[in-house]
Each structure stands twice: as structure tokens, then as C-alpha cells.
Amino acid sequence: MKNVPKSGLHSPLKSPERYRLYGDVAALMAQAMRDPAVEAYFTRLIQRVVPKSVIQAAGEVTTVRAWLESFAGDGVRQCARSFGVPGDRAGQISQGYRFPFGGVAIITPFNFPLEIPSIQMMSSLFMGNRPLVKVDEKVAVVMEQFVRLAIHCGMPAEDADYLYSNGKVCNEVLLAGNARMTLFTGSQAVAEHLVVDLKGRVKLEDAGFDWKIIGPDADPKLVDYVAWQCDQDAYAFSGQKCSAQSVMFVHKNWAEMGLVKKVEDLAARRTLRDLTCSPVLSWTNEKILAHIDNVLAIPGARLAFGGRPLAETEPEAAKVPSCYGAFQPTAVEVPIEQAIKEEHFGTWTEELFGPFQIIIRYGDEDLDKVLECCERMEAHLTAAVVSNDTYFVNKVLAATVNGTTYAGYLARTTGAPQNHWFGPSNDPRSAGIHTIEAIQLCWSGHREIIYDQGPMPAGWTTPTAS
């Protein structure tokens, strides 16, 4: 990392043929991942280290493949697109370039062992950086195999490092190597620690307490779909997604149609047997129960559904090691009048990285209270406004700042495809993934070169001192 020049391995002015090299690498990797055997291999490999259902695990593989396809050929060089602004005279022009940082690092969590590190590593390489990649050691084998695939498809092996270690060792490496930029995806506490140690040279996609506001224009023809999406957002992969629905503000018009009961019924279909209700890798049952009890202590709060360890309904869940959780999909309702109170706000907005959500019912007169809750939240990753009422949607969007926000009857908080930006907002350290804009933001800096090549103005003489 120390030996990588600040100008990187390539740039618009240095070794530009490497943009084409990585376009070819992306094409070959995408082609390889279209092989059913390779797709099945990565899907099963993910399942060996992360308890995801087949659909959830395969979704990572197909997303990465589609993303690689979008950058194949000339797609990589488009990431370094520059611009020119006319100068004051002939021969003068301001040229804006995207330049790499040099030696950089990527740190990613357990929950997406393929999608996040692979896309961020390739994005970093596209822009000319030399990344060190560190994935949560519990799931590191998945990304190791992806790196081997990249080398097989033409990535120069010396272009990247892959570190298998715990967080403490990685932290020491970053300090010793003076990492020029570090992309961190994970918990907010670790993110803030890295900001200090690395003197702010970071981009963060940290925890998200993600909200969904279901608007007043209830439609009985859509209630089943909205309920299905709510279940999917809150409980797919047992809520272990940074984009998982943490709180659902339900307008009374939808509540009166039985939306909450429909979500409960859908959540009840989930089982450990098919991993649609999977072990929780970062919260134990004891910790989950303690959090539920804390929320239920808020006046007027009640358990909507769930609330018990999974072993009470599925005996095989008792085999899950006690260091992990195995818990029913759970929801606790909190009255809006209590939710906005200072003494309760921090309790129900604590992010439980598991199969748990808060439900808050509201009426037309309460919308400003709902928006106040959104304003006071600290993390602004994903959000959903489930409504086709243009005025309602505009009011909510105008008052909120989440980086990836879905709006409309079919709005969701999870399941971001490769074709749009995914990342938080309202923080100058915010990271992004997938798009050209995300790649430029995270993995390059702006450089302006002003060419001033004459000719000399006719009749020029030395001016007076100024």
C-alpha cells in the first residue's frame, strides 16, 4: 500500500489502455458467471457461510453478473469521463479529470459476502486504484474465490491484495500503509472509529434505521402486494440487511384494511427449514429479548406479533449455537404520541440487526409528527413512501434526506438492483455503490488541469507591477 503512487496504476493521462483491460476482464467475468455451474457454485458457497435462502443467495450472484455486464467493453472508461471548459484566450482550456487515490482499502461485513466487496473492489480497480480488500473473516472464503475468478479472467494478480484478518489487525495494516482512502460498510460504531484513526480519509455506508411511510390513499386491490413487500423488506434474510425496514408508519386507512395482520400472516410462513427465517449472526436471543422488553416499556406499546425464540415453534432451532440468534419475525407497535417524546425516541430507534420492526399508526393530523421522527433519525440509508398521491409524496420527499428512496405504491426499502445508486445521504462521508456516479464519488478525486499553450497575444509587453 505504501509503494503505490498517489497517481494510481492508471488515469486518463497514465496507462489509459488499462481501462480497456478492465472492460475485457469485466466481460469475461460476466460470461463466466453466466455458466450455470459457476452461478450454482457461488450461490452454494454463500450459503455455506451465511444462512440465506437459495433465492437470497442467488440474488447476490445475478446482481454482480449484471453489474459486470454493464461495465464490459467501453463501460470502464466511461467512469473516468472528463470535461473541458473554454478559457480566456486561444490555447487555454480548463480540463477536469477523475484521478485515483493510489493505495486504498475496502472493508465489508458478513451479510453480503459477494455483492458488496466484489463490486467495490472492481469499482476501485476501474478507477486506477490498488485496493486491499478485507471481508468479515466469517465469510471471507466467498470473496477469495471471486478474486481467483478475476485473476483467471485477466486481472493482473499484483493489482490487489486480499487480507484475511480480524478488525484489529486490519486497522493496524491501514495505519501502517497510510491508506489513501478506505471504503467501510458496516456498523456505525466501527465507522466512527475509523474516521478518527484514518483522519477522515473514508467513505461510509454504515448502519441504516430505514423507514417506510404508507400514505393515506389506501387501495384494497393493492393491500396484499403492499403487505408482501413489507414482509419482504422487514424479514427477508431475517432483517440482516442494512436496507431492512426498521419502522413502518401505517396510515389508519391501510390499517383498517388489515395490513398489519396480513404482514403477520406472511411472516408466519417463514421457517428455519428453508432459511426464509434464518439465524441472526450479530444478535443473540437474550439481546433481542432485552431490546423488545425495552420497547414494550414505552407507554401504550404492544407486541403486534412474534416476540419469542424460534425454538418454541421449530424445535430444530435449538441446534443453532447460542452465540447466534434464532428468533421469530417480530413487530412492536408504538403510539405516535409516545414515539416522538425525547425520553422514548432513542429506545425504539435503536437498530436491531435481525427480524424485528417497529409499527407506528398515524392519521392525517399526525403526518408532521411522522416527519419529525424521520428528521431526528441519525442514519439516512433507504426509505420508502408507499403512495401514488403526488402531493403527499412530494411533501414527504421534500422533508427527508435518505440516499436511496423509493416512492409509489410499489415502493420498497430492500432489493436494490445494480442499475441505480445505493447508499446513504446527508453525510459528507457517504459512500455509494453500483453507478458511475457512485464509482467516481468513492474511488476518484477531481483534478483540474488548465492548459495554457498560446499563442502569445500580439503586441504583448511586460505590464506594470501589480
Side-chain angles (χ1 to χ4, degrees), residues 106-148:
I106 298 163
I107 304 173
T108 63
F110 73 87
N111 57 340
F112 285 88
L114 178 66
E115 182 177 345
I116 298 175
S118 64
I119 291 178
Q120 293 291 16
M121 182 187 82
M122 298 305 295
S123 297
S124 171
L125 289 164
F126 289 173
M127 297 308 293
N129 298 289
R130 187 182 193 277
L132 177 143
V133 184
K134 189 271 180 190
V135 183
D136 187 298
E137 58 271 26
K138 294 189 291 293
V139 302
V141 66
V142 179
M143 186 60 187
E144 179 196 319
Q145 292 301 298
F146 183 85
V147 172
R148 292 181 184 276

Side-chain angles (χ1 to χ4, degrees), residues 212-215 247-264 300 302-305 331-340 348 358-367 369-370 373:
K212 177 180 287 181
I213 298 174
I214 303 179
V247 56
M248 179 170 66
F249 296 97
V250 183
H251 193 280
K252 62 182 182 181
N253 294 344
W254 287 93
E256 289 168 1
M257 289 183 183
L259 178 66
V260 174
K261 181 63 169 65
K262 287 179 178 291
V263 174
E264 177 184 358
R302 73 172 191 89
L303 185 68
F305 55 84
V332 173
E333 287 203 34
V334 177
I336 184 66
E337 295 79 11
Q338 299 296 329
I340 62 172
W348 68 266
I358 300 293
I359 296 175
I360 297 177
R361 303 184 190 222
Y362 75 100
D364 293 339
E365 69 282 3
D366 300 314
L367 180 57
K369 296 174 185 176
V370 171
C373 289

